[in-house]
Amino acid sequence: MDVDERRGEVLRAIVEEHIQTAQPVSSQAVARSAGLGVSSATVRNDMTALERDGYLTQPHTSAGRIPTDRGYRYFVDRFADPTAVRGLHGEQQRAVSEFFRGAHAALEDLLHETSGLLARITRHAAVVVGPPTESARVRRVDLVLLQPGQVLAIAVLSNGAVEREMLTVDPDLSSEQVATAEQALAAALVDATLQVPPAPRPSGDPAADGLAGTAHLALHRRAEASHDPLYVGGASRIAAEQEAFATARSAATLLELLEQQVVVVSLVRDLLDQGVSVSIGSEHRIDELRDCSLVLAPYTIEGEVAGTVGVLGPTRMDYQQALAAVATVSAQLGNLLSR
Amino acid sequence: MDVDERRGEVLRAIVEEHIQTAQPVSSQAVARSAGLGVSSATVRNDMTALERDGYLTQPHTSAGRIPTDRGYRYFVDRFADPTAVRGLHGEQQRAVSEFFRGAHAALEDLLHETSGLLARITRHAAVVVGPPTESARVRRVDLVLLQPGQVLAIAVLSNGAVEREMLTVDPDLSSEQVATAEQALAAALVDATLQVPPAPRPSGDPAADGLAGTAHLALHRRAEASHDPLYVGGASRIAAEQEAFATARSAATLLELLEQQVVVVSLVRDLLDQGVSVSIGSEHRIDELRDCSLVLAPYTIEGEVAGTVGVLGPTRMDYQQALAAVATVSAQLGNLLSR
DNA sequence: GGTTGGCAGTCGGTACACTCGACTGCCAGC
DNA sequence: GCTGGCAGTCGAGTGTACCGACTGCCAACC
């Protein structure tokens, strides 16, 4: 085994040990556990070299070393095998297949529950980004007169999502007029996308036309304005992983970020076309995520990339397992949504 | 001012001071700030009496005193005026009325956004419980054939909520058969509640009848099984309020509790018929909520109690402001939903 | 050149003693 | 019943000493 190879093994041992213990790793521990057949002094030399090259850092002089983001990056690129399912225990695999066997919810609920599943098996926070509403075609349009002056506009999309918007209308509008408007709206939207801008719709009844126009505009606006849907599962894990964060405050701001959704969605979108990917600590430009890693896997519906599932944990996380989890879950989710 | 009255004022001063500073309050601080015209020695005597009666406690001998749950209870009962809006700053009031002026979302979204509003103005976590699905009547039923073998069943309820369920069916089922089933289902459900159990529905087409039955059963089951909808806003505040919790772990378990929803829903339901209510620390039997208080106000739709809005914060919270916030928000929300 | 054992040096953590300051409790006097 | 004063208690902060766990370096060895 030549020097470079051994240094890789030393780094690997340090990462694995540190993931397990959350403590700085000493040269002795590596020499003892890694089975390299060299003394701790040699390991020490390698460790100084690895630190010089930016893979390791020392919290303080008389302590062991911990991996830097760059160290994790090397570890993931070199040692983590995204195709290996072996990272998953039997129990976890069972949970996944059981979940997808029993799944029969509408799209939104399904994606939400999927985030919960992923959080459960990885014991970290999980995110699921749904298929963009823009791309889906309208299958059905409803205008429901809930009570005088109040109409609920509903668009059922081909992917099973449902867009809703409440409209306040003239209280004198009759249910027949609403029905007329519904037909007009259906004519304009069914089999189209919500991207289609509203157009004048001359028919017999101007009030009905008005309602159809309003409803179209409202649904159109909503589809325009809304970012891709994001579902977060197991956010409470972030609070439980407090120790990983520099300050108690940063865990709170991270949770806030997840609540606001939009930042996370754009981050995930940016990484979407890279296939299974890992983004470590300072690699993503969002400061609040400095102490976190994001392990993502896109899922496809009938061959098209539709969305992403991901795990959000501290940089000190079990990448092997997270990769295995997102890989299997995304595959199964894509399967389910394709058939 | 007689002794009992003064002791009340001492307690009040301690609670108010402690809410502000989060520190144990000393006799000197009370004597100085409360304007009682007595010396700190007298206050000390009152404080020992208040401690004997269980309203105060001492973290350690050489420290000031902090209120017990019982102390907060007395404070709330005696000094907090739920009808007073004065607890709210102008800025907060403006946020509330602006929010409700601009609101035009479907029920679920509206309630969710309301929880966000309440969290924003109180700077604590907020919960909103929606109207129970059981009571609402069905206004519209859709069976949408998304793709061969996959039907989405949708029920639009009179309160603007939308129940959805995905059904896997015979891939050979034609869209005409789905339409027939939709009509049969509509006949059974429209103007009824989802409580109505499925009944055999003999018509021309057994396949359509089968689908109608399956869809009915699925929607019925979902309505049965699902608890009242709960919307949580500002959960990140809980992480920010860490100091209020005994251990870092307990903040995480509290967040988990909110994710699971069911416990919180039943707790809130139990307190629903008490009008505006405050539940302090150990008063609610749920151990995870030992360090929290819950300030609730039910909202009514057309005179009927429909749900609840609430603030969940540390026992050391500004009850006056929380009460004012939930009172105005619940009133406005009820207003909006009634018209 | 790479590897090794040994040894000095560095630093965090803990234990202890001490002081300071902020309270309370109590009591005698008003 | 209130008050001022005083003793007592305890937490928090500080300085010191010490132990233990590392690393860094070096001379020796293969």
Side-chain angles (χ1 to χ4, degrees):
Chain A
M1 191 186 314
D2 79 344
V3 181
D4 283 344
E5 196 181 338
R6 192 189 57 217
R7 285 197 183 148
E9 288 301 315
V10 168
L11 178 54
R12 170 189 208 151
I14 291 173
V15 171
E16 284 176 352
E17 177 95 8
H18 183 251
I19 283 172
Q20 257 199 324
T21 63
Q23 298 293 326
V25 182
S26 73
S27 55
Q28 287 173 54
V30 174
R32 207 181 320 116
S33 75
L36 296 168
V38 294
S39 78
S40 68
T42 309
V43 174
R44 273 203 292 285
N45 291 331
D46 292 340
M47 282 164 83
T48 40
L50 286 166
E51 178 163 15
R52 173 175 36 79
D53 296 344
Y55 297 107
L56 296 176
T57 186
Q58 253 180 318
H60 43 259
T61 320
S62 69
R65 296 205 171 57
I66 59 176
T68 60
D69 290 347
R70 187 171 179 189
Y72 284 121
R73 162 58 57 201
Y74 183 84
F75 174 80
V76 169
D77 289 347
R78 182 118 154 54
F79 301 113
D81 180 359
T83 63
V85 191
R86 74 189 152 85
L88 243 46
H89 295 110
E91 194 188 337
Q92 297 168 312
Q93 291 213 31
R94 222 175 310 124
V96 174
S97 42
E98 199 169 308
F99 173 84
F100 283 105
R101 207 175 319 120
H104 64 287
L107 183 71
E108 287 92 337
D109 295 340
L110 176 66
L111 295 178
H112 188 221
E113 286 165 22
T114 302
S115 74
L117 168 76
L118 203 49
R120 240 179 2 262
I121 63 175
T122 61
R123 311 189 60 85
H124 290 124
V127 292
V128 174
V129 177
T133 21
E134 306 108 44
S135 66
R137 301 198 161 267
V138 178
R139 278 295 160 82
R140 175 76 67 107
V141 175
D142 288 335
L143 292 180
V144 184
L145 186 63
L146 292 177
Q147 46 190 292
Q150 208 174 39
V151 168
L152 184 66
I154 298 178
V156 182
L157 304 182
S158 55
N159 60 15
V162 177
E163 290 290 333
R164 291 157 296 172
E165 194 74 16
M166 187 72 88
L167 307 172
T168 308
V169 298
D170 178 1
D172 294 332
L173 214 65
S174 72
S175 55
E176 287 75 22
Q177 288 173 305
V178 175
T180 311
E182 183 178 278
Q183 284 169 19
L185 193 58
L189 278 178
V190 167
D191 286 332
T193 72
L194 286 177
Q195 304 286 72
V196 176
R201 216 176 313 274
S203 87
D205 190 332
D209 284 349
L211 173 55
T214 315
H216 191 150
L217 186 64
L219 290 168
H220 175 72
R221 278 237 188 87
R222 159 170 287 255
E224 286 271 282
S226 70
H227 49 72
D228 301 344
L230 175 75
Y231 304 90
V232 179
S236 59
R237 305 284 180 190
I238 290 171
E241 286 159 351
Q242 280 261 325
E243 320 84 45
F245 295 98
T247 70
R249 199 128 221 92
S250 66
T253 53
L254 178 54
L255 281 169
E256 219 172 318
L257 212 68
L258 287 173
E259 270 177 32
Q260 290 167 2
Q261 306 210 340
V262 56
V263 182
V264 182
V265 169
S266 66
L267 172 66
V268 171
R269 277 277 151 201
D270 286 350
L271 295 165
L272 185 131
D273 44 356
Q274 302 189 7
V276 176
S277 73
V278 179
S279 179
I280 299 168
S282 49
E283 290 179 5
H284 28 249
R285 292 280 173 224
I286 302 168
D287 207 49
E288 284 86 350
L289 292 177
R290 203 180 336 121
D291 302 319
C292 297
S293 285
L294 196 51
V295 179
L296 297 175
Y299 58 90
T300 57
I301 302 181
E302 287 166 6
E304 292 263 307
V305 171
T308 309
V309 304
V311 172
L312 178 67
T315 48
R316 185 190 81 71
M317 72 186 278
D318 187 338
Y319 291 96
Q320 188 72 47
Q321 188 190 315
L323 280 164
V326 296
T328 36
V329 169
S330 70
Q332 299 242 28
L333 179 62
N335 248 349
L336 180 67
L337 293 176
S338 293
R339 60 152 207 256
Chain B
M1 192 186 314
D2 79 346
V3 181
D4 283 344
E5 197 181 337
R6 192 189 57 219
R7 288 201 180 146
E9 287 301 315
V10 168
L11 179 54
R12 168 189 208 152
I14 291 172
V15 171
E16 285 175 350
E17 176 94 9
H18 183 251
I19 282 172
Q20 258 200 323
T21 64
Q23 298 295 323
V25 182
S26 73
S27 55
Q28 286 172 52
V30 174
R32 207 182 319 116
S33 75
L36 297 167
V38 293
S39 77
S40 68
T42 309
V43 174
R44 273 203 290 285
N45 291 331
D46 292 339
M47 281 165 83
T48 40
L50 286 166
E51 178 164 15
R52 175 177 33 78
D53 295 344
Y55 296 106
L56 295 177
T57 187
Q58 253 181 317
H60 45 258
T61 321
S62 68
R65 293 196 168 67
I66 59 176
T68 60
D69 290 348
R70 188 173 178 187
Y72 285 119
R73 163 57 56 200
Y74 182 85
F75 174 79
V76 168
D77 289 347
R78 182 116 155 56
F79 301 114
D81 180 359
T83 63
V85 191
R86 72 187 152 86
L88 242 44
H89 295 110
E91 193 187 339
Q92 297 168 312
Q93 292 212 35
R94 221 173 312 123
V96 173
S97 41
E98 198 169 310
F99 173 85
F100 283 106
R101 204 173 325 118
H104 64 289
L107 182 70
E108 286 95 337
D109 295 339
L110 176 66
L111 295 178
H112 189 220
E113 286 165 23
T114 302
S115 74
L117 169 75
L118 202 49
R120 235 175 11 257
I121 63 175
T122 61
R123 310 190 59 86
H124 290 124
V127 293
V128 174
V129 177
T133 18
E134 306 107 44
S135 65
R137 299 196 165 269
V138 177
R139 279 294 160 82
R140 173 78 66 108
V141 175
D142 287 334
L143 292 181
V144 183
L145 185 61
L146 291 178
Q147 46 190 289
Q150 208 175 38
V151 169
L152 184 66
I154 298 178
V156 182
L157 304 182
S158 54
N159 59 15
V162 177
E163 291 289 335
R164 289 157 297 171
E165 194 75 16
M166 187 72 88
L167 307 172
T168 307
V169 297
D170 178 1
D172 295 332
L173 216 64
S174 72
S175 55
E176 287 76 23
Q177 286 175 306
V178 174
T180 312
E182 183 178 276
Q183 284 171 20
L185 192 58
L189 277 178
V190 167
D191 287 333
T193 72
L194 286 176
Q195 304 285 71
V196 176
R201 213 176 316 274
S203 88
D205 189 333
D209 285 353
L211 173 55
T214 315
H216 192 151
L217 187 63
L219 289 168
H220 175 72
R221 280 236 188 88
R222 159 169 287 255
E224 286 270 282
S226 70
H227 49 72
D228 301 344
L230 175 74
Y231 304 89
V232 179
S236 60
R237 304 285 181 191
I238 290 171
E241 286 159 351
Q242 279 261 324
E243 320 83 46
F245 295 98
T247 71
R249 199 130 220 91
S250 65
T253 53
L254 178 54
L255 280 169
E256 220 173 319
L257 212 67
L258 287 174
E259 270 177 32
Q260 288 167 2
Q261 307 211 336
V262 55
V263 181
V264 181
V265 170
S266 66
L267 172 67
V268 172
R269 278 275 150 204
D270 287 350
L271 295 165
L272 185 131
D273 44 356
Q274 300 189 10
V276 176
S277 72
V278 179
S279 179
I280 299 168
S282 50
E283 291 178 6
H284 28 247
R285 292 283 174 218
I286 302 168
D287 208 48
E288 284 85 352
L289 292 177
R290 204 181 335 123
D291 302 319
C292 298
S293 285
L294 197 50
V295 179
L296 296 175
Y299 59 90
T300 58
I301 301 181
E302 287 165 8
E304 292 263 308
V305 171
T308 309
V309 304
V311 172
L312 178 66
T315 48
R316 184 190 81 70
M317 72 186 278
D318 187 338
Y319 291 96
Q320 188 71 46
Q321 188 191 313
L323 281 163
V326 296
T328 36
V329 169
S330 71
Q332 298 243 30
L333 180 61
N335 248 348
L336 180 67
L337 293 176
S338 293
R339 60 150 206 258

